[in-house]
Amino acid sequence: MRMALLLLAALTLSGCGLVALPFRVTGDVISVVPVIGKPIGAPIHAVGDAID
């Protein structure tokens, strides 16, 4: 069961998804910062969307 979940995760994160993941996570983390989070986090998250 554990190996099947690991294989599924590897297939899901392969290719462009693996490259876009750091941009998406960083954009989400920055978006939490009050006042300046949304304007700064949106372009970073958009880079992740552009990669996909």
Side-chain angles (χ1 to χ4, degrees):
M1 181 68 172
R2 182 178 285 180
M3 187 58 115
L5 289 174
L6 183 62
L7 181 62
L8 181 63
L11 290 174
T12 304
L13 294 176
S14 65
C16 295
L18 185 62
V19 175
L21 183 66
F23 292 102
R24 293 180 186 274
V25 170
T26 304
D28 290 339
V29 169
I30 291 174
S31 294
V32 177
V33 177
V35 182
I36 61 168
K38 294 279 185 188
I40 295 174
I44 295 172
H45 195 71
V47 171
D49 290 340
I51 291 172
D52 281 340

